[in-house]
C-alpha cells in the first residue's frame, strides 16, 4: 500500500478543446478556470493511487459524502506570477504544502509527501502556462489544492476514502475599488476562531461560518469584518487577511506589529514573508504581539498610528482606511507619506515574485 503518491507516476490526458476566454479581465475573481485539473484518489484499503492530470470537469460523489455533511475538507491557495522574462514562478509553495499537511492532520485525512504534491502542481501549471499570457500582467494564475473526504457514510468518523484535487483559475484584483483602503466592521458578538480550535488551519468551515458577519458588515457600509476575540477585544484577522499595525507603540518605539500565532490566526505565507523582510531591514521593531481595540483607539487619539494593512495571497497587501467600532468610525491614516512602508514591502515582494530579485522563495515552472 502506497504511503504517498509519486509525481513520477503522473499520467496526463489533455483536453480536446480549450476553455480560454477572450476577455478574462471582465470576470470576477475565481470564476474563469483553466483547461485541466489534477486528481489523486486515496483509500484506506489501497493507499494512494497514481496522480492524474485530466480535462477540467465536475466531480461525482455520493450524497452521504462526509465532506458535504461534516466539513471533512480543506484547501490551499497560491499564485503563479509572470515575470518580465516570460517565466512563471510559484511563491514559497512549500509553505503552502506544509500548511496543507497540518490542516489534513487536524481533520484526520491521510498524510502525503509534500514534495511529490508540489511537483504534480508544478507539472499542472506547466501544462496550463499559456493561460498566464492571455491578459495583462496584473492577471495571475491562482492555484487551489483541495482535499476532501469521499466517505459514503453518515457516521461521524475518520474517512476511509478521500480525494485530493487541484484546479487553477485566473486571478485579478480580489477587492474592488482599486487602491482605495478597505473599511472594516468590528463587533465582538462574532468571533472567527477560539483558542484550541481550528483557526490556524485552512478548513472550509472557517470561511462559511463567517458569511453572516460579512454581510452584516456590508449593512454598516464596510467591506470586511475585523475579527475580535476575548473580553479585551483582541484584534485577530480582517476578513481573510492577517493584520499589521505600523505605529509608535506605548513605549515610544516605532514598531510593525501583528497578532501572534496562537491557534486563532492563520499562518499566512505573505504574513511570514513580511515579517522576514522587515526584520532583515532592521530599521524598526518587528513584533508578534497581542493588540487590542483599546490600544488602537488610544494610538489613534494620540496620532501614533502610521498605517494599518492586511495581507494574504489573494489580496497581497491592502491598506485599511476605516474601522466601525462601538458605533464610531475610526479613521485610519490615508495613503500618503505615512503609508510608504506597505508600498515598499509590496515592491520588494513583487520584485521577488516576478523574478527581478533572485530568491530561493520562488520555484520556476
Amino acid at each position: 500500500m502506497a504511503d504517498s503518491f509519486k509525481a513520477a507516476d503522473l499520467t496526463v490526458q489533455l483536453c480536446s478543446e480549450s476553455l480560454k476566454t477572450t476577455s478574462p479581465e471582465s470576470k470576477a475573481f475565481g470564476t474563469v478556470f483553466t483547461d485541466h485539473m489534477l486528481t489523486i484518489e486515496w483509500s484506506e484499503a489501497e493507499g494512494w493511487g497514481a496522480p492524474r492530470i485530466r480535462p477540467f470537469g465536475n466531480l461525482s460523489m455520493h450524497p452521504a459524502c462526509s465532506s458535504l455533511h461534516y466539513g471533512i475538507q480543506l484547501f490551499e491557495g497560491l499564485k503563479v506570477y509572470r515575470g518580465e522574462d516570460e517565466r512563471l514562478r510559484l511563491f514559497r509553495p512549500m509553505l503552502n504544502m506544509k500548511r496543507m499537511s497540518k490542516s489534513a492532520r487536524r481533520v484526520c485525512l491521510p498524510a502525503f509527501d509534500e514534495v511529490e504534491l508540489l511537483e504534480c502542481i508544478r507539472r499542472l501549471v506547466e501544462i496550463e502556462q499559456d493561460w498566464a499570457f492571455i491578459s495583462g500582467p496584473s492577471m495571475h494564475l491562482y492555484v487551489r489544492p483541495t482535499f476532501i473526504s469521499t466517505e459514503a457514510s453518515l457516521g461521524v468518523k475518520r474517512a476511509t476514502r478521500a480525494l485530493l484535487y487541484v484546479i487553477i483559475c485566473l486571478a485579478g484584483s480580489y477587492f474592488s475599488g482599486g487602491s482605495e483602503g478597505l473599511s472594516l466592521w468590528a463587533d465582538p458578538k462574532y468571533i472567527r476562531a477560539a483558542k484550541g480550535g481550528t483557526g490556524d488551519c485552512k478548513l472550509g468551515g472557517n470561511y462559511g461560518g463567517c458569511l453572516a458577519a460579512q454581510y452584516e458588515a456590508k449593512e454598516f457600509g464596510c467591506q470586511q469584518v475585523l475579527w475580535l476575540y476575548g473580553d479585551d477585544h483582541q484584534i485577530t484577522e480582517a476578513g481573510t487577511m492577517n493584520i499589521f499595525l505600523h505605529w509608535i507603540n506605548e513605549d515610544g518605539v516605532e514598531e510593525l506589529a501583528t497578532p501572534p500565532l496562537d491557534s486563532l490566526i492563520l499562518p499566512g505565507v505573505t504574513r511570514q514573508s513580511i515579517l522576514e523582510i522587515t526584520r532583515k531591514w532592521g530599521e524598526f521593531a518587528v513584533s508578534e504581539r497581542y493588540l487590542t481595540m483599546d490600544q488602537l483607539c488610544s494610538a489613534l487619539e494620540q496620532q501614533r498610528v502610521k498605517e494599518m494593512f492586511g495581507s494574504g495571497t489573494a489580496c497581497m497587501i491592502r491598506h485599511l482606511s476605516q474601522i466601525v467600532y462601538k458605533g464610531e468610525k475610526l479613521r485610519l491614516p490615508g495613503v500618503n507619506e505615512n503609508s510608504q512602508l506597505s508600498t515598499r514591502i509590496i515592491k520588494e515582494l513583487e520584485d521577488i515574485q516576478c523574478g527581478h530579485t533572485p530568491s530561493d522563495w520562488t520555484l520556476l515552472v
Side-chain angles (χ1 to χ4, degrees), residues 10-11 36-40 51-54 117 120-121 124 163-167:
L10 177 69
T11 61
H36 301 90
M37 62 193 296
L38 169 71
T39 59
I40 317 169
R52 180 186 172 205
I53 291 176
R54 64 179 181 84
L117 176 57
C120 291
I121 291 173
L124 176 63
L163 173 67
L164 196 165
Y165 67 93
V166 182
I167 55 179

Side-chain angles (χ1 to χ4, degrees), residues 28-89:
F29 179 95
T31 59
V32 179
F33 296 93
T34 64
D35 294 324
H36 301 90
M37 62 193 296
L38 169 71
T39 59
I40 317 169
E41 296 183 357
W42 173 89
S43 72
E44 188 175 66
E46 300 180 5
W48 285 102
R52 180 186 172 205
I53 291 176
R54 64 179 181 84
F56 183 90
N58 293 337
L59 300 174
S60 176
M61 59 184 64
H62 194 281
C65 180
S66 60
S67 61
L68 299 176
H69 292 267
Y70 308 121
I72 305 176
Q73 57 93 262
L74 58 104
F75 66 95
E76 269 300 326
L78 55 159
K79 278 185 180 177
V80 181
Y81 295 91
R82 180 178 112 195
E84 290 183 2
D85 59 358
E86 302 299 296
R87 301 291 301 275
L88 301 183
R89 293 169 174 83

Side-chain angles (χ1 to χ4, degrees), residues 250-271:
E250 309 95 320
D251 300 320
V253 175
E254 182 180 356
E255 178 183 51
L256 180 65
T258 191
L261 301 179
D262 60 356
S263 78
L264 294 176
I265 306 295
L266 187 72
V269 174
T270 308
R271 174 190 182 276

